Amino acid sequence: MAIAALLFIAINAVSYSLINTYWIKFAILVATIILFFLIIQFFRNPKRNTILNDAHVVAPVDGKVVAIEEVEEKEYFKDRRLQVSIFMSPINVHVTRHPIGGKVKYSKYHPGKFLVAWHPKSSEENERTTVVVANDIAGEVLYRQIAGAMAKRIVNYAEVDNEVIQGSDSGFIKFGSRVDVFLPLNTPISVKLNQKVKGGLSVIAKIYE
């Protein structure tokens, strides 16, 4: 945001010095203010008061539930899992949060393509990170940050063997993308297709002892 602010100030300083037409200078000023506002909106990280519960899986990101389906998870579990996918538009908060608390068992970055986030093969072919967190009640829960057509960088804070708190920051995806959560089969799902969820607040599944 600091870099953007300096850039926009420089642009307006140059336009003020070199452009004599008032309405053009004003248009540039308005455009840079709007762009800066959008950048602030995108990189915001609102505080979320997660209700800690080891039997609940909370949404890792803000967005819309676009898939609830049984799939073959090929990277870590190598078996059938229930996948819940949440799509983020560019105006959503893009902070990724830990869906459960516990120990980080696995964390891996994969370079890849930039297919649109809703493409069926984006989960396996796009740039992505895979993280697995485990606790005694929920067991192992895998979530995968997936870059979209606009997303060009994924930030992942999760490190293997770290103890993490449910709802705390796990990473960040720059521009529209999605996160997939992989749960044991027959897990009771608490959300529906096209439902909007908030990261760290909305319970997407409940796993009982």
Side-chain angles (χ1 to χ4, degrees):
M1 287 187 286
I3 292 171
L6 291 173
L7 176 62
F8 293 152
I9 290 171
I11 289 172
N12 280 280
V14 171
S15 71
Y16 182 82
S17 300
L18 301 181
I19 299 174
N20 294 321
T21 306
Y22 174 78
W23 73 265
I24 295 178
K25 291 193 287 188
F26 182 75
I28 292 173
L29 175 63
V30 171
T32 52
I33 290 174
I34 292 172
L35 285 173
F36 187 63
F37 176 76
L38 292 174
I39 289 171
I40 291 174
Q41 283 289 100
F42 179 79
F43 285 99
R44 70 197 187 279
N45 185 359
K47 181 177 176 57
R48 299 283 168 82
N49 295 316
T50 304
I51 299 175
L52 304 182
N53 188 324
D54 284 344
H56 289 178
V57 180
V58 299
V61 290
D62 291 13
K64 183 171 71 172
V65 177
V66 294
I68 302 173
E69 58 188 347
E70 185 179 322
V71 299
E72 186 76 19
E73 200 292 304
K74 300 176 182 178
E75 179 180 351
Y76 182 81
F77 294 117
K78 296 179 173 60
D79 63 10
R80 303 292 290 177
R81 292 279 152 167
L82 192 59
Q83 175 182 312
V84 179
S85 299
I86 301 169
F87 174 76
M88 293 169 284
S89 75
I91 63 172
N92 284 128
V93 172
H94 275 57
V95 175
T96 307
R97 305 172 195 274
H98 297 290
I100 64 169
K103 178 178 283 190
V104 178
K105 306 288 286 186
Y106 181 84
S107 181
K108 188 172 183 179
Y109 166 78
H110 301 273
K113 301 177 181 179
F114 295 99
L115 303 172
V116 291
W118 56 85
H119 193 286
K121 293 186 178 181
S122 64
S123 181
E124 298 179 355
E125 296 186 8
N126 276 22
E127 178 179 338
R128 62 201 182 278
T129 62
T130 301
V131 177
V132 178
V133 178
N135 65 44
D136 292 338
I137 297 178
E140 295 182 325
V141 172
L142 182 154
Y143 58 100
R144 181 172 292 138
Q145 298 171 294
I146 304 168
M150 294 176 61
K152 301 302 181 186
R153 187 181 177 196
I154 293 176
V155 180
N156 176 32
Y157 310 142
E159 296 183 5
V160 173
D161 292 332
N162 278 4
E163 291 287 339
V164 298
I165 299 172
Q166 186 177 38
S168 62
D169 291 1
S170 169
F172 196 92
I173 310 178
K174 297 185 177 181
F175 297 106
S177 44
R178 90 170 198 244
V179 173
D180 294 341
V181 182
F182 294 83
L183 304 165
L185 297 179
N186 302 318
T187 298
I189 301 299
S190 303
V191 291
K192 298 178 180 180
L193 283 176
N194 299 316
Q195 180 177 332
K196 292 182 179 180
V197 295
K198 286 190 173 292
L201 296 179
S202 303
V203 176
I204 63 172
K206 297 180 181 180
I207 304 174
Y208 299 97
E209 295 180 275

